[in-house]
Amino acid sequence: MRGTATVGPVLELIPARRALLGPGLVVRRALPRGARRSVGPWCFLDHFGPVEAAGAMNLPPHPHIGLQTVTWLLEGELLHRDSLGSVQRIRPGQLNWMTAGEGIVHSEEAPPEGAGALHGVQLWVALPPDRRRCPPAFEHHATLPRLAEGATALTLLAGRLGGMESPATAHSPLVGLDVALPSGGRVRLPLDPSFEHAVLAMEGSADAAGHAFGLGELLYLGDGRHHLDLSADEPARLLLIGGPPLPAPLAMWWNFVGGDREELPPEPAPSPGPRG
Ligand code: MN
């Protein structure tokens, strides 16, 4: 794995790869991807759909260690269950934020009666070394900080940005922001220059810092930026992620994150099953 030293402002287009999630859902996996293993503490990013909702996702119970899972929907709904006893439906505009820490088991499924489309992202946040074995927790946030002007809207999932602060429990500095741009929309986002950032097109295409990117592409921006100009000719929905570059590469095995492979559980048999 490559180290994660600061790089300054760069523009690096990372096409997501197709990956199979569970029994039959093809997703666009934007992280980890090639040499780019993480953006700040964000170490996994799947973009799924839009697909027909009914039965589209059925991830049976599986464990996580050392990370947080973040579920954010643009369309449809999912039902989350976990070993803490949480049972939670999530709909667009809401955030499911699960801290695995020392270990948790969860399942996620599109309700079989679901109609319309399912469309969203799931991300993982690597916990810092002193919090990797923290007690597991589950948070559902029905409302999040939002700034809207006309059809341009910023919704803060994680961290802080421009005077907003997300209620999601973070164990290290980070930012996660949904950006909705109408046709011809533009916005200038304030950034923390100590963070590295990347932006994903979840819908449509856009321009970030003068560089065009489209559906299924993650544009890595490096660090050292004080602001980011985003614009779109057609309606677009973007996801900005960022945080301080990790001081050392992570070990990721199946659904587990740690400092090295030795601290992670052994390979399960016979089959690892879903990763997500
Ligand atoms: Mn999972």
Side-chain angles (χ1 to χ4, degrees), residues 14-18 28-31 33 45 200 216-218:
I14 302 171
R17 71 178 178 88
R18 288 162 57 88
R28 302 174 194 88
R29 183 156 296 160
L31 284 177
R33 185 75 178 93
L45 170 49
L200 177 79
E217 292 178 326
L218 181 72

Side-chain angles (χ1 to χ4, degrees), residues 21 44 59-64 67 69 71 98 105-108 122 124 255 274-276:
L21 186 64
F44 183 90
L59 299 177
H62 59 278
H64 286 290
L67 56 89
T69 66
T71 305
M98 184 181 80
V105 171
H106 77 148
S107 66
E108 287 179 299
Q122 182 164 99
W124 296 355
N255 295 311
R275 183 166 193 257

Side-chain angles (χ1 to χ4, degrees), residues 8-228:
V10 298
L11 290 166
E12 178 189 329
L13 198 60
I14 302 171
R17 71 178 178 88
R18 288 162 57 88
L20 194 61
L21 186 64
L25 181 60
V26 176
V27 302
R28 302 174 194 88
R29 183 156 296 160
L31 284 177
R33 185 75 178 93
R36 177 53 49 198
R37 312 307 294 177
S38 55
V39 177
W42 302 97
C43 61
F44 183 90
L45 170 49
D46 270 357
H47 175 213
F48 50 87
V51 292
E52 277 298 314
M57 185 183 287
N58 183 9
L59 299 177
H62 59 278
H64 286 290
I65 292 174
L67 56 89
Q68 295 174 303
T69 66
V70 181
T71 305
W72 176 246
L73 297 180
L74 281 68
E75 293 177 84
E77 67 178 58
L78 288 174
L79 179 63
H80 162 99
R81 298 175 198 267
D82 66 43
S83 49
L84 298 172
S86 317
V87 179
Q88 182 67 57
R89 276 178 196 253
I90 179 175
R91 298 188 171 89
Q94 306 176 338
L95 183 71
N96 275 4
W97 184 270
M98 184 181 80
T99 302
E102 64 185 358
I104 195 169
V105 171
H106 77 148
S107 66
E108 287 179 299
E109 61 175 317
E113 73 276 14
L118 177 70
H119 185 197
V121 287
Q122 182 164 99
L123 304 99
W124 296 355
V125 176
L127 289 166
D130 63 343
R131 300 297 294 160
R132 275 193 195 124
R133 293 294 185 270
C134 71
F138 176 75
E139 299 169 24
H140 173 78
H141 298 287
T143 60
L144 292 167
R146 194 164 185 271
L147 269 178
E149 190 178 308
T152 300
L154 308 178
T155 308
L156 187 64
L157 313 187
R160 295 164 190 237
L161 188 130
M164 297 187 287
E165 181 172 358
S166 167
T169 301
H171 295 278
S172 67
L174 82 175
V175 68
L177 181 78
D178 180 296
V179 180
L181 288 174
S183 178
R186 59 182 57 248
V187 67
R188 170 168 280 197
L189 303 178
L191 298 186
D192 184 329
S194 72
F195 285 13
E196 59 181 349
H197 293 89
V199 61
L200 177 79
M202 299 184 289
E203 252 177 25
S205 59
D207 183 294
H211 200 289
F213 63 110
L215 188 66
E217 292 178 326
L218 181 72
L219 183 63
Y220 177 69
L221 300 161
D223 58 11
R225 293 179 187 272
H226 294 266
H227 57 79
L228 178 65

